[in-house]
Amino acid sequence: MILRKNLDLFNTIKALAGVNDFTTEEINNLVDLTNRRLTMAYNASPMWDRYVVVGEKRTVSDFVLDGTGLYDGPYYKLGKKEYTTGKFGDFFVPINQTPNTARSACLFQATNGEWRLGALTYTKDPLTDIVTSVGGITYSSQVDEDSSGNPIQYGSPTEVVEWDNASVSATRLTAKQVIPYDQTYEALTSSNFNREIQETINDFIRIHGNQSFLNRSATEYDFYVDSFGANVLNGNFTNNEAYVTYKKPILNDFGEVISSLTSPINEDIPNEFFNYTAHAVYADFLRMDGQHDKAAFEEQKAEMFLATELERIDIINNNNSLNHKISTYVNRSTR
């Protein structure tokens, strides 16, 4: 997959326009138009080779925490923690944790068995999945008690009816199997602590319960997308793990593809978008100058280049199964 440079694109636009130099204002406009056209090309298909990631392992949530503000989001079970002698309860942490920060938000059972939302410094034994922690802060605690005044023993924090919310606005838990757009991968052992940031998901394409496109027994799941991520329907996952085929984003952290056309930074531009972008930006420039007939002609050229690239994707997709889904009893059954 070839990458072209921003200066190459700028020289091509200058050649099409027959102009050696643009004003500073015109160059700034060309940068904005280039970002717009690159994004349009990116959005023209979910299956651009360079942006598709196939069957990447991702974490699936057990529930979503809402109402606290700072600690909201999808949580999953990291392991089990001993809350009183010989008794262990599930230990939940956010899927998208802050990298390389030992103390983190979590939901756990305290000594008398009540659920708490707080922040602990913890590690996990990779062989036993036992979580140990030291110190900590409590933000919210379970209020529900039985007739004797003892905390009701719930198997999951989603069963708690009332929280005291001592240090947060509210605590609302909703059972959801969500795969977020952003997440960090936990790499915890008894001797070190590390989190790795995974690629941001721009568009979800397909979700499987086990390694996809490796053999013919991978169970595939339907899903819908909301602000949290992909909500999986009727999922049955091992260790909160799913395999996601998705599209990577084209925009950087500043909401742009390139920041300059003239800078020696030499920012990369996908070759498959290059000709479309050059002619489309030139067409936009002609419109700015009031030359609408010429702009329409250049727009047609640009669309022709994009259509050619899209046709290539269609031909490839007709010969493989990545973007084709056939529903059968075998691939829909949970086993």
Side-chain angles (χ1 to χ4, degrees):
M1 291 181 285
I2 300 172
L3 287 169
R4 305 286 292 273
K5 298 302 180 180
N6 56 347
L7 289 173
D8 294 339
L9 180 63
F10 186 50
N11 289 333
T12 302
I13 295 171
K14 286 196 296 183
L16 290 171
V19 176
N20 289 326
D21 292 304
F22 290 99
T23 66
T24 300
E25 183 179 355
E26 287 173 337
I27 291 174
N28 291 334
N29 289 335
L30 289 176
V31 172
D32 292 337
L33 293 172
T34 297
N35 278 308
R36 172 175 170 267
R37 289 296 188 163
L38 286 171
T39 304
M40 289 174 66
Y42 165 84
N43 288 330
S45 172
M47 299 305 296
W48 293 113
D49 306 352
R50 140 181 357 264
Y51 297 106
V52 171
V53 178
V54 179
E56 183 176 279
K57 185 162 67 174
R58 292 280 176 150
T59 303
V60 186
S61 74
D62 290 283
F63 54 81
V64 170
L65 172 64
D66 184 28
T68 67
L70 185 60
Y71 312 104
D72 291 351
Y75 283 64
Y76 78 106
K77 186 177 79 172
L78 179 67
K80 287 185 174 292
K81 181 179 181 297
E82 187 175 31
Y83 63 90
T84 191
T85 304
K87 292 186 178 182
F88 292 81
D90 293 338
F91 188 83
F92 298 93
V93 297
I95 291 179
N96 189 20
Q97 293 265 37
T98 303
N100 301 321
T101 301
R103 174 171 284 187
S104 302
C106 51
L107 277 144
F108 59 95
Q109 284 179 284
T111 304
N112 54 6
E114 89 277 9
W115 285 96
R116 291 185 181 180
L117 167 66
L120 303 177
T121 300
Y122 59 83
T123 58
K124 184 182 79 168
D125 188 322
L127 299 179
T128 63
D129 280 345
I130 299 299
V131 175
T132 56
S133 63
V134 294
I137 302 171
T138 297
Y139 302 125
S140 181
S141 299
Q142 170 189 333
V143 174
D144 305 353
E145 296 179 342
D146 59 23
S147 57
S148 300
N150 299 312
I152 298 175
Q153 301 293 298
Y154 293 122
S156 169
T158 58
E159 300 176 65
V160 176
V161 177
E162 187 177 358
W163 299 82
D164 68 3
N165 298 311
S167 303
V168 292
S169 299
T171 302
R172 295 188 296 266
L173 301 179
T174 305
K176 278 179 176 283
Q177 290 188 308
V178 175
I179 302 172
Y181 299 101
D182 298 292
Q183 62 179 256
T184 51
Y185 173 73
E186 291 275 7
L188 295 175
T189 69
S190 57
S191 59
N192 65 31
F193 185 97
N194 185 46
R195 295 192 185 101
E196 298 177 6
I197 299 175
Q198 293 187 271
E199 180 69 71
T200 296
I201 295 175
N202 193 80
D203 296 313
F204 291 89
I205 299 174
R206 303 178 72 171
I207 297 174
H208 291 81
N210 43 2
Q211 185 63 61
S212 53
F213 306 107
L214 182 64
N215 54 51
R216 295 184 181 276
S217 62
T219 302
E220 184 168 7
Y221 293 102
D222 291 323
F223 63 92
Y224 67 91
V225 177
D226 62 12
S227 60
F228 289 113
N231 293 256
V232 184
L233 305 180
N234 301 316
N236 185 13
F237 301 103
T238 302
N239 298 324
N240 294 87
E241 294 175 348
Y243 292 82
V244 182
T245 298
Y246 66 90
K247 185 180 179 185
K248 295 189 291 186
I250 189 174
L251 300 179
N252 60 26
D253 293 338
F254 303 101
E256 58 189 14
V257 185
I258 63 170
S259 59
S260 171
L261 284 170
T262 59
S263 170
I265 293 173
N266 274 336
E267 293 174 301
D268 293 328
I269 294 174
N271 184 62
E272 57 270 30
F273 299 165
F274 189 89
N275 289 322
Y276 163 77
T277 302
H279 283 271
V281 170
Y282 176 45
D284 292 335
F285 180 75
L286 289 171
R287 278 192 204 90
M288 290 170 53
D289 197 40
Q291 302 181 60
H292 297 287
D293 290 340
K294 289 183 179 180
F297 179 70
E298 289 299 326
E299 189 77 40
Q300 289 179 348
K301 284 186 179 180
E303 293 297 333
M304 179 192 68
F305 281 114
L306 183 60
T308 301
E309 294 294 339
L310 291 172
E311 184 179 10
R312 183 187 68 84
I313 292 177
D314 288 340
I315 292 172
I316 293 173
N317 283 337
N318 285 334
N319 293 319
N320 64 48
S321 61
L322 185 59
N323 200 34
H324 289 271
K325 180 165 64 175
I326 300 175
S327 296
T328 67
Y329 169 77
V330 175
N331 72 1
R332 290 295 176 187
S333 61
T334 301
R335 59 192 184 280

